[in-house]
Amino acid sequence: MKKMRKSNEEALQIATEILELIESDSLSEEQKEQIIEDSIYNFTHFVNKAILNHRKAASTDFSFVEWEDEKAIFRDTKNREFIDCLGGYGVYLLGHRHPKVVKAVEAQLKRYALHSQELVDPLRGYLSKLVAAITPGDMQYTYFTNSGAEANEMALKLARLSTGKTHFISTVNGFHGKTFGALSSSGKAVFREPYLPLVPGFHHVPFGDAEAMEQAIKQLEATGEKVAGIIVEPIQGEGGINIPPEDYFPRLRDICDAHGCLLIVDEIQTGMGRTGTLFGIDHWKVVPDIMTLGKAFGGGVMPITAMVARPHVWKKMEENPFLLGSSTFGGNPLCCAGAIAGIKTILEENIVEQAREKGDYILEKLAEIQQRYPEVMVAVRGKGLLIGMEFATNEIGFELAKRLFNDQILVGGTLNNATVIRIEPPAVITYEQMDTVIDAIDKHVAHLAKKPAVTS
């Protein structure tokens, strides 16, 4: 194959053209069409054309290119407005570009953006203090990371470091990320199989079954293996909005205490108020040993995640603070500013209460639809604004997601599995917007109920 010749002049021209678009206050019709054409070409040749095919499965063409957003909506380059009920899978709890968060980030950007790596960065300390003030029980120490998977990697490493033990128990259909350790703890074959064998020492039991969890620990102990911890989501998100029995987490807490292993709670999607309590685990009044945070943690503006731990887990870190890992951009000033402003906004605007009340409203309306069309929508479940609609077949769920997209409503339907469609809007969504979404779901479910079969 002939090697492409590249030049700095060509790269400079490309960068200049891109920045002209980014820095423009408005776009001409020609520019809008150019962005669409460029996006298709760039994804096909430089990203992954399969992503385009996946997007096309949810829409009718490739011309939907995201360009602007605010509150509970986003717009494409042609100014078509969508109601966001996907919410970045939990990122946009405060909505898109909440002005209080943007203001804090802009203020920090004018001062300094990244830290020197040598001097003490005050924002990391300030945010850690704030996290200690809002997390359950005596959780105190925080390690900042860049993604949910990275936060869970740090949690798993800290558990081994703290306990001196090696094994972990996770749950079937649990999802904790796609890096090797996080993927090893995840419980979905579709993500795991291409990379087998994964990190040894991970075992999976059914979600919501505390007895199975304890039995797995006992079996490992009987053969001389030691369990460092169990890792579990308060509510399984990717797994289908699965809610555990009321006694599940209290029992897990007792099991961990009895067997000297750590309870690691993955709050990447459920944390910061999404489920109608500040943290998902708060529904069961249990204090984890380690908690991971992400998605909405950056206020919907900045990408930042965290691992939080109780003091007794942190002692090994005091012996050597560099054992756990090194993250160049983890806890950088810009992201910390966004997270601090996000937490303040969640507290002062009663976002937790909004999520609970609006979630109850949507669940009640969806339950009425489900009761009218049980042959199509077989179940509705959720807490706060983490809601799942379960359909009789994958094809029905996928068809509904496509129809809602045509109505300019985005929901959490995927090509891999649309049996459960997620409704995960920002807490700032209005009741008028919610009614628009509910009416559209009602209309399409009624139509699908009349069809003898649905094909995607």
Side-chain angles (χ1 to χ4, degrees), residues 366-420:
L366 292 179
E368 292 172 0
I369 297 171
Q370 189 275 326
Q371 289 169 8
R372 291 199 301 274
Y373 307 107
E375 70 281 9
V376 173
M377 187 187 294
V378 300
V380 173
R381 56 184 175 267
K383 285 184 180 292
L385 289 173
L386 182 58
I387 297 168
M389 302 180 292
E390 184 174 350
F391 294 93
T393 66
N394 184 75
E395 290 75 21
I396 292 174
F398 193 56
E399 179 69 15
L400 175 66
K402 289 197 297 183
R403 288 171 181 244
L404 289 172
F405 190 95
N406 290 337
D407 286 343
Q408 294 174 208
I409 297 168
L410 188 66
V411 295
T414 66
L415 183 60
N416 290 330
N417 188 348
T419 303
V420 177

Side-chain angles (χ1 to χ4, degrees), residues 161-419:
L161 188 66
S162 173
T163 64
K165 302 175 182 179
T166 56
H167 287 260
F168 292 95
I169 314 293
S170 186
T171 59
V172 176
N173 290 324
F175 183 75
H176 304 289
K178 296 178 184 176
T179 51
F180 261 89
L183 184 59
S184 300
S185 63
S186 295
K188 294 194 75 171
V190 66
F191 299 131
R192 292 168 53 87
E193 285 179 346
Y195 303 105
L196 295 174
L198 293 169
V199 178
F202 286 84
H203 312 266
H204 299 80
V205 298
F207 178 71
D209 189 340
E211 184 176 345
M213 187 73 75
E214 184 169 31
Q215 188 62 29
I217 295 172
K218 287 181 176 179
Q219 288 174 347
L220 286 166
E221 289 178 340
T223 57
E225 307 289 0
K226 304 299 182 183
V227 177
I230 63 177
I231 181 168
V232 63
E233 302 157 272
I235 299 170
Q236 286 189 332
E238 175 71 24
I241 317 300
N242 301 318
I243 301 172
E246 283 301 309
D247 67 342
Y248 183 59
F249 278 101
R251 289 190 63 192
L252 291 188
R253 179 68 275 173
D254 291 342
I255 290 167
C256 287
D257 291 342
H259 292 272
C261 56
L262 302 181
L263 176 58
I264 306 168
V265 175
D266 178 346
E267 292 267 8
I268 301 297
Q269 187 166 186
T270 55
M272 310 313 299
R274 168 61 58 184
T275 69
T277 54
L278 191 54
F279 302 101
I281 196 67
D282 290 342
H283 288 288
W284 297 282
K285 297 179 174 59
V286 166
V287 178
D289 296 299
I290 301 174
M291 173 190 288
T292 54
L293 304 174
K295 304 290 188 185
F297 185 59
V301 174
M302 300 304 294
I304 180 172
T305 60
M307 176 196 68
V308 193
R310 298 171 68 186
H312 73 92
V313 180
W314 205 253
K315 290 181 180 179
K316 286 286 185 180
M317 287 292 291
E318 295 174 355
E319 297 175 13
N320 185 344
F322 305 108
L323 271 179
L324 189 61
S326 176
S327 181
T328 301
F329 299 114
N332 69 75
L334 281 180
C335 286
C336 286
I340 291 166
I343 293 171
K344 181 175 183 287
T345 304
I346 288 169
L347 297 176
E348 69 185 4
E349 294 191 3
N350 298 318
I351 293 296
V352 174
E353 291 77 8
Q354 287 194 56
R356 182 171 61 249
E357 292 170 3
K358 291 174 180 178
D360 288 345
Y361 181 82
I362 295 173
L363 278 167
E364 181 180 352
K365 298 294 185 181
L366 292 179
E368 292 172 0
I369 297 171
Q370 189 275 326
Q371 289 169 8
R372 291 199 301 274
Y373 307 107
E375 70 281 9
V376 173
M377 187 187 294
V378 300
V380 173
R381 56 184 175 267
K383 285 184 180 292
L385 289 173
L386 182 58
I387 297 168
M389 302 180 292
E390 184 174 350
F391 294 93
T393 66
N394 184 75
E395 290 75 21
I396 292 174
F398 193 56
E399 179 69 15
L400 175 66
K402 289 197 297 183
R403 288 171 181 244
L404 289 172
F405 190 95
N406 290 337
D407 286 343
Q408 294 174 208
I409 297 168
L410 188 66
V411 295
T414 66
L415 183 60
N416 290 330
N417 188 348
T419 303

